[in-house]
Amino acid sequence: MTVADARAETNPLPIEVASFRVLTDSMPQMVWSTRPDGHHDYYNARWYEFTGVSPGSTDGEEWAGMFHPDDRPEAWKRWLHSLETGDPYEVEYRLRHHTGEYRWTIGRAAPIRDERGRIVRWIGTCTDINDSKAVAEENEILSRELSHRIKNIFSVLGGLISLSARQFPEAREFAKALRQRIAALGRANEFVRPHSEKSRPLIGRTTLIGLIQMLASPYPAFEGGRIRISGDDVPVDDRGATPVSLIFHELLTNSLKHGSLSTAEGLVEITLRAEDGSVHIAWVESGGPLVSAAPTELGFGTTLTEISAEGQLGGQLERFWKADGLTVRLRVPLARLYRASDA
């Protein structure tokens, strides 16, 4: 006999309540409910299957004993805040599985209010995120390892250039300039690589023009005045810096390989215009190889820039392949570039 069957035999319910229990017992998530004061009085079958405890044994405040001891203070703090304010509840914590291990879950709850706005019940869920969290942690380790190796490559290149300069003193100034460009490229790489909330660069507050100038600084065309940046400058913080950096890094490297920056006379003009809560950015190439037609296939980098522009920044990116070079128009909501509280 299942947990749901046992409850049904011992406690006949009104049709509305019975329907609610059938619905929640069929869900893959753990579902729970409390009275307005936070007293837990209902768990669905998934809760008992996950925890392995006896029905009713976690009613009231006994549910807290299922948390990992290190996670209880924060979970209680957030739950009490929700009970006092009526704000939705959300927190990640480790919950004891019936095997004895603690698995990461995300707990959420929202209040149900009557016609007067009074809270009459809380309905919550617990979702097992242990496997996805483990994958995210593995990806974070791989990302940091990749960054470490790339930094080492830049360091080795700088060291080799220094050693070569000692053998050829006449190339000392050239070697110095080359080391500086490699160092700038290394700094730009930190913004381009994939990041989590923990690993992304903490730049504080800067400006969009300043960020683009930093990304363009390793390129000789920037020093030579062939990468021109103008227009309305807007703030950007560490949240918006990574996707913006990825987009401009891809545009710069593609231009150097195939576009206007691949020639001695080629020019890139970048203009910014802030309007209606967004920044409109135009990237215009000229003076490079003639463009006969748009590419028939999109590379991985191009796809990645679209994901960054539309998915991460909530904007829009369009490409126009003109005979004299590529034109890109990018619109990004200002709210995605920096936190409003910092403005």
Side-chain angles (χ1 to χ4, degrees), residues 79 96 200 261:
W79 179 231
R96 192 171 70 229
R200 68 187 181 189
L261 297 184

Side-chain angles (χ1 to χ4, degrees), residues 163-237:
L163 289 173
S164 299
R166 294 174 189 172
Q167 295 177 316
F168 304 97
E170 67 277 10
R172 184 172 297 143
E173 290 303 313
F174 170 78
K176 179 181 178 181
L178 186 57
R179 284 199 309 272
Q180 290 173 343
R181 295 195 190 282
I182 289 175
L185 198 59
R187 291 191 296 270
N189 173 73
E190 268 303 289
F191 289 92
V192 174
R193 76 174 180 90
H195 286 286
S196 69
E197 289 292 320
K198 295 181 180 179
S199 69
R200 68 187 181 189
L202 298 177
I203 63 171
R205 282 290 293 275
T206 185
T207 67
L208 191 53
I209 288 180
L211 179 63
I212 297 172
Q213 288 174 337
M214 185 272 291
L215 295 168
S217 63
Y219 297 83
F222 180 71
E223 185 176 317
R226 294 191 294 114
I227 300 177
R228 302 173 184 172
I229 309 167
S230 62
D232 301 328
D233 208 357
V234 297
V236 61
D237 61 19

Side-chain angles (χ1 to χ4, degrees), residues 30 49-53 65-69 71 93-105 128-131 134:
M30 293 169 270
E49 289 174 5
F50 182 93
T51 60
V53 299
M66 305 304 300
F67 287 67
H68 190 286
D71 302 333
Y93 47 71
R94 285 161 289 182
L95 196 63
R96 192 171 70 229
H97 192 251
H98 64 79
T99 60
E101 71 169 321
Y102 284 92
R103 294 180 63 84
W104 280 103
T105 62
D128 187 344
I129 60 170
N130 198 73
D131 292 340

Side-chain angles (χ1 to χ4, degrees), residues 99-121:
T99 60
E101 71 169 321
Y102 284 92
R103 294 180 63 84
W104 280 103
T105 62
I106 183 168
R108 295 188 177 98
I112 297 177
R113 300 177 184 270
D114 63 15
E115 63 279 0
R116 296 183 181 180
R118 297 175 301 185
I119 296 175
V120 296
R121 182 156 287 276

Side-chain angles (χ1 to χ4, degrees), residues 13-124:
L13 297 169
I15 186 64
E16 312 84 44
V17 179
S19 298
F20 171 77
R21 287 191 168 176
V22 169
L23 175 64
T24 58
D25 283 343
S26 67
M27 294 176 63
Q29 292 174 305
M30 293 169 270
V31 180
W32 47 270
S33 176
T34 81
R35 299 193 303 237
D37 62 0
H39 180 91
H40 287 68
D41 58 4
Y42 170 76
Y43 297 92
N44 72 338
R46 298 291 86 74
W47 168 269
Y48 294 111
E49 289 174 5
F50 182 93
T51 60
V53 299
S54 302
S57 62
T58 52
D59 287 355
E61 295 184 357
E62 297 302 318
W63 64 281
M66 305 304 300
F67 287 67
H68 190 286
D70 293 344
D71 302 333
R72 290 175 195 170
E74 181 64 20
W76 267 113
K77 176 183 175 182
R78 297 200 186 189
W79 179 231
L80 291 175
H81 171 80
S82 293
L83 292 177
E84 292 172 0
T85 63
D87 292 340
Y89 171 72
E90 181 170 327
V91 65
E92 289 185 11
Y93 47 71
R94 285 161 289 182
L95 196 63
R96 192 171 70 229
H97 192 251
H98 64 79
T99 60
E101 71 169 321
Y102 284 92
R103 294 180 63 84
W104 280 103
T105 62
I106 183 168
R108 295 188 177 98
I112 297 177
R113 300 177 184 270
D114 63 15
E115 63 279 0
R116 296 183 181 180
R118 297 175 301 185
I119 296 175
V120 296
R121 182 156 287 276
W122 286 84
I123 302 294

Side-chain angles (χ1 to χ4, degrees), residues 217-332:
S217 63
Y219 297 83
F222 180 71
E223 185 176 317
R226 294 191 294 114
I227 300 177
R228 302 173 184 172
I229 309 167
S230 62
D232 301 328
D233 208 357
V234 297
V236 61
D237 61 19
D238 39 83
R239 180 178 58 171
T242 294
V244 167
S245 297
L246 192 150
I247 292 169
F248 280 95
H249 176 78
E250 186 67 20
L251 290 173
L252 285 163
T253 53
N254 281 345
S255 182
L256 184 64
K257 290 187 292 185
H258 314 294
S260 63
L261 297 184
S262 66
T263 67
E265 304 299 326
L267 176 68
V268 171
E269 292 188 271
I270 305 168
T271 57
L272 296 81
R273 175 173 52 86
E275 184 179 86
D276 298 329
S278 295
V279 59
H280 301 261
I281 305 170
W283 166 286
V284 180
E285 298 188 31
S286 61
L290 291 177
V291 178
S292 58
T296 56
E297 295 184 5
L298 297 180
F300 175 72
T302 300
T303 302
L304 202 57
T305 58
E306 292 179 354
I307 292 173
S308 298
E310 299 173 7
Q312 294 179 277
L313 292 172
Q316 183 179 15
L317 186 147
E318 296 179 289
R319 292 179 177 82
F320 304 92
W321 298 94
K322 302 179 180 180
D324 56 346
L326 171 67
T327 293
V328 176
R329 299 196 181 279
L330 173 65
R331 179 191 60 80
V332 180

